[in-house]
């Protein structure tokens, strides 16, 4: 790999590619005599439904979340549970029903059996250049202890510099059916503006990316109902010879999302960060992406993130910082020095691959063209005792013809399976000060040399079950496995006693049938993108909920992306 710098997320990248007409040139297209991705397609027309509901029925029902009836991409999912009413769920996704790429949000009041959806009121917000945004990426959602739900996204101009991280609110009782201004004022719920503004820039050298929010929903937390935000701030003006730096930033709201503290850099510096620093401190941990904030039972704020300030070829790392419950987290001095969770072996082969749709500069696992770069896939969770759990995927067990061969560009076009990407987790029993060795959730002894990737995880409150969901190619596809044909499934691993010396592993196939490989030949506009994350959460009683991007069309020969939900 010629440069260790982090990369802007796929949601933002694909929006720009669409605006530039790059995606329209894939797969021939109708104008050039190629097959139309929408030919021979019938739309599911079950009567008495809200939008285009659909369920793949099986041992675990797969329920369609987004209700958009068009053949437009919905992917990159999040789900949150109302702590006061576990039947009230909110989900979100990158949503393209009105053009690449916007943020869509969904709600359910019956535990996910049925859903409604909408686009949030982000597009009346004036960016720093005076324009209203024409795109939104990286949806995020969180409930606070009172049952208010907050959603956010990165809004930006496709062909201009302005971009912002904004937040809208749905007051307790509304449950995500619609969103409004977080500012308390007369007729609040009828107002779209003003939005909560976490960050806003109009500088061609600055791009805010890959943001998440989390509200403190702890009933006894000293900071109950605070809302926290973390994101990656790409800055191309460091002059350090690496083109850019991309530290993790933090902001907080103590007034229900109405106002936000000035952003501060929390990724800090540590001895484990040894190379390619874009700052004066040679040990700055500033080549980052993929932060995930959570709140511990005592109100401590934890943030994990992917870091590339490492000297080893293809060897990266996951780091953790935290702010104690007794401290004001808007003060940079109150954040700890980064602590290493684990190495990440990021040696998946690089695109471009025109056959699979794997983009240039992105890592993929052929015969799929979906981005599998590890840097946006790590997830952090905590149980009621304060133990921490972290899950990710990497290529430490991969190799053979699927290896990256020193990151040669275009290697994905000639690499071939088996790829044997695996899912791992580690845990900490001392507040993140030290971490266990990585534990392989998908070893070859159980799954063969097949790929698993893009995991998300959540732990039950009692700490007895760590649930990890991920894409999986080990299921049969005719006489072979999906590893060689490109189909894939969702598996949910239930790790029993995950912080013990003898964890147990139980696996549930979530998808009722394998999802077809989405490539330029069957859908040139959506090929190469399946989102940067799926999501898993757990009810207070310990029941897992999972959402993912699914390529099974609901009629005719369509292969296209929608969001599905399951509660095994």
């Amino acid at each position: 790999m010629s440069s260790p710098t982090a990369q802007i997320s796929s949601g933002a990248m694909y929006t720009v590619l669409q605006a530039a007409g790059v995606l329209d040139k894939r797969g021939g297209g109708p104008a050039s005599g190629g097959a139309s991705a929408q030919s021979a397609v019938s739309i599911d027309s079950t009567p008495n439904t809200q939008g285009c509901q659909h369920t793949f029925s099986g041992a675990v029902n797969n329920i369609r979340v987004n209700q958009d009836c068009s053949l437009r991409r919905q992917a990159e999912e999040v789900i949150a549970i109302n702590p006061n009413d576990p039947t009230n769920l909110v989900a979100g996704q990158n949503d393209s029903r009105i053009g690449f790429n916007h943020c869509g949000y969904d709600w359910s009041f019956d535990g996910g059996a049925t859903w409604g959806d909408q686009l949030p009121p982000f597009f009346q917000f004036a960016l720093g250049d005076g324009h209203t945004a024409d795109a939104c990426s990286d949806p995020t959602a969180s409930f606070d202890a009172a049952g208010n739900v907050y959603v956010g996204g990165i809004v930006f101009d496709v062909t201009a510099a302005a971009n912002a991280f904004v937040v809208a609110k749905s007051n307790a009782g509304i449950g995500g059916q619609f969103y409004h201004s977080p500012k308390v004022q007369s007729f609040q719920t009828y107002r779209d503006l003003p939005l909560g503004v976490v960050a806003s820039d109009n500088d061609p050298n600055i791009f805010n990316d890959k943001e998440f929010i989390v509200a403190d929903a702890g009933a006894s937390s000293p900071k109950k109902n605070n809302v926290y935000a973390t994101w990656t701030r790409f800055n191309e003006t460091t002059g350090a010879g690496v083109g850019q730096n991309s530290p993790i930033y933090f902001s907080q709201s103590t007034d229900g999302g109405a106002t936000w503290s000035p952003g501060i850099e929390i990724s800090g510096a540590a001895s484990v960060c040894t190379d390619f620093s874009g700052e004066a401190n040679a040990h700055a941990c500033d080549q980052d992406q993929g932060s995930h904030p959570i709140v511990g039972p005592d109100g401590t704020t934890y943030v994990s993130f992917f870091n590339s300030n490492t000297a080893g070829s293809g060897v990266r790392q996951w780091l953790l910082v935290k702010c104690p419950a007794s401290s004001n987290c808007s003060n940079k001095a109150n954040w700890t020095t980064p602590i290493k969770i684990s190495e990440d072996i990021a040696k998946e082969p690089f695109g471009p691959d025109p056959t699979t749709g794997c983009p240039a500069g992105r890592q993929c696992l052929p015969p799929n063209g979906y981005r599998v770069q590890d840097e946006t896939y790590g997830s952090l969770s905590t149980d009621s005792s304060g133990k921490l759990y972290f899950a990710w995927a990497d290529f430490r067990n991969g190799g053979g013809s699927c290896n990256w061969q020193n990151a040669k560009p275009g290697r994905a076009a000639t690499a071939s399976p088996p790829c044997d990407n695996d899912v791992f987790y580690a845990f900490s029993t001392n507040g993140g000060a030290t971490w266990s060795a990585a534990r392989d959730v998908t070893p070859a002894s159980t799954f063969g040399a097949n790929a698993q990737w893009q995991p998300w995880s959540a732990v039950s409150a009692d700490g007895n079950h760590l649930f990890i969901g991920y894409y999986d190619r080990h299921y049969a596809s005719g006489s072979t496995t999906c590893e060689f044909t490109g189909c894939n499934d969702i598996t949910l691993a239930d790790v029993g006693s995950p912080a013990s010396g003898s964890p147990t592993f139980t696996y549930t196939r979530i998808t009722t049938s394998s999802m077809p490989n989405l490539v330029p030949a069957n859908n040139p506009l959506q090929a190469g993108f399946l989102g940067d994350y799926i999501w898993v959460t757990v009810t207070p009683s310990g029941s897992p909920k999972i959402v993912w991007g699914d390529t099974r069309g609901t009629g005719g020969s369509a292969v296209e992306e929608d969001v599905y939900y399951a509660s095994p």
Side-chain angles (χ1 to χ4, degrees):
M1 188 174 182
S2 58
S3 171
T5 55
Q7 295 186 330
I8 289 174
S9 63
S10 295
M13 181 191 73
Y14 271 79
T15 308
V16 175
L17 291 178
Q18 170 67 6
V22 174
L23 300 186
D24 297 322
K25 300 175 182 178
R26 287 182 169 183
S32 60
S36 170
Q38 299 186 27
S39 62
V41 172
S42 62
I43 298 298
D44 181 73
S45 57
T46 305
N48 302 317
T49 62
Q50 178 174 289
C52 281
Q53 293 186 6
H54 184 268
T55 297
F56 292 111
S57 299
V60 178
N61 286 341
N62 303 169
I63 301 168
R64 185 173 174 180
V65 174
N66 62 277
Q67 301 303 303
D68 171 34
C69 297
S70 67
L71 294 176
R72 298 296 184 267
R73 182 186 73 209
Q74 281 87 23
E76 199 158 278
E77 309 77 26
V78 63
I79 187 169
I81 300 174
N82 187 336
N84 303 315
D85 178 7
T87 66
N88 178 202
L89 310 175
V90 165
Q93 70 276 342
N94 275 332
D95 192 307
S96 298
R97 74 187 68 187
I98 61 172
F100 286 82
N101 195 78
H102 295 78
C103 296
Y105 289 96
D106 325 287
W107 74 89
S108 176
F109 286 96
D110 54 14
T114 59
W115 294 83
D117 74 348
Q118 64 174 299
L119 300 180
F122 291 163
F123 302 102
Q124 290 178 314
F125 172 77
L127 293 166
D129 60 1
H131 299 162
T132 55
D134 52 17
C136 177
S137 187
D138 302 340
T140 179
S142 185
F143 280 95
D144 67 15
N148 303 301
V149 61
Y150 304 86
V151 297
I154 297 293
V155 293
F156 55 99
D157 278 346
V158 173
T159 58
N163 65 96
F165 175 4
V166 295
V167 173
K169 187 177 183 181
S170 185
N171 282 343
I174 300 171
Q177 294 175 97
F178 65 89
Y179 293 90
H180 52 77
S181 171
K183 184 176 181 180
V184 177
Q185 54 189 320
S186 60
F187 305 110
Q188 176 195 24
T189 56
Y190 294 94
R191 298 179 184 271
D192 294 343
L193 300 176
L195 293 174
V197 182
V198 182
S200 182
D201 289 278
N202 185 26
D203 182 336
N205 296 302
I206 303 297
F207 189 79
N208 302 291
D209 190 34
K210 196 50 64 185
E211 88 302 340
F212 283 135
I213 58 175
V214 62
D216 187 340
S220 59
S221 170
K223 296 181 177 179
K224 180 172 63 177
N225 297 328
N226 279 7
V227 190
Y228 306 116
T230 63
W231 70 101
T232 308
R233 187 175 188 267
F234 282 88
N235 179 3
E236 298 184 359
T237 61
T238 63
V242 295
Q244 61 190 12
N245 75 340
S246 52
I248 303 301
Y249 265 55
F250 170 88
S251 176
Q252 68 180 17
S253 175
T254 59
D255 59 3
T259 61
W260 292 81
S261 63
I264 58 170
E265 183 177 332
I266 62 170
S267 42
S271 60
V272 295
C273 297
T274 59
D275 205 5
F276 304 108
S277 174
E279 301 183 34
N281 188 333
H283 292 288
C285 304
D286 64 353
Q287 300 295 317
D288 308 315
Q289 185 51 301
S291 62
H292 183 211
I294 66 168
V295 179
D298 65 346
T300 297
T301 305
Y302 301 92
V303 181
S304 62
F305 58 96
F306 183 89
N307 174 261
S308 296
N309 294 103
T310 53
S313 178
V315 178
R316 305 292 178 249
Q317 59 190 350
W318 291 100
L319 303 180
L320 177 88
V321 292
K322 67 179 182 179
C323 174
S326 58
S327 299
N328 178 2
C329 297
S330 66
N331 184 341
K332 185 176 180 178
N334 290 332
W335 287 86
T336 62
T337 297
I339 299 165
K340 184 175 179 177
I341 299 173
S342 176
E343 286 187 340
D344 185 292
I345 310 304
K347 294 188 176 183
E348 299 90 343
F350 280 80
D353 182 352
T355 300
T356 67
C358 180
R362 305 286 171 157
Q363 289 170 277
C364 304
L365 298 173
N368 294 130
Y370 313 134
R371 168 180 173 165
V372 295
Q373 274 154 304
D374 308 331
E375 61 197 53
T376 53
Y377 300 156
S379 64
L380 185 66
S381 58
T382 181
D383 63 25
S384 60
S385 72
K387 293 186 181 71
L388 296 170
Y389 306 83
F390 185 76
W392 75 99
D394 72 29
F395 204 64
R396 68 186 63 193
N397 294 328
S401 62
C402 204
N403 207 325
W404 72 337
Q405 288 191 345
N406 296 320
K408 180 181 178 182
R411 174 58 181 159
T414 56
S416 59
C419 294
D420 200 18
N421 212 67
D422 280 337
V423 173
F424 302 89
Y425 85 93
F427 64 89
S428 173
T429 60
N430 55 10
T434 59
W435 289 81
S436 72
R439 291 179 169 179
D440 195 341
V441 180
T442 58
S445 58
T446 302
F447 287 81
N450 300 297
Q452 292 82 32
W453 75 97
Q454 200 167 319
W456 205 264
S457 62
V459 67
S460 60
D462 60 15
N464 291 333
H465 299 274
L466 176 65
F467 298 100
I468 308 174
Y470 49 87
Y471 285 98
D472 189 353
R473 294 202 309 214
H474 95 278
Y475 296 100
S477 172
S479 59
T480 183
T481 67
C482 288
E483 182 70 12
F484 296 91
T485 64
C487 61
N488 48 79
D489 285 81
I490 298 293
T491 296
L492 184 70
D494 177 355
V495 185
S497 303
S500 72
S502 302
T504 61
F505 295 85
T506 303
Y507 304 96
T508 301
R509 182 179 182 177
I510 298 298
T511 38
T512 59
S513 61
S514 294
M515 296 174 275
N517 193 8
L518 196 161
V519 294
N522 57 32
N523 194 326
L525 291 183
Q526 296 184 28
F529 180 83
L530 204 56
D532 287 343
Y533 47 88
I534 66 173
W535 209 273
V536 176
T537 190
V538 182
T539 65
S541 63
S543 174
K545 313 287 184 181
I546 182 170
V547 287
W548 69 95
D550 197 303
T551 63
R552 293 172 291 177
T554 59
S557 60
V559 179
E560 58 108 15
E561 298 173 34
D562 289 293
V563 179
Y564 276 79
Y565 159 87
S567 179

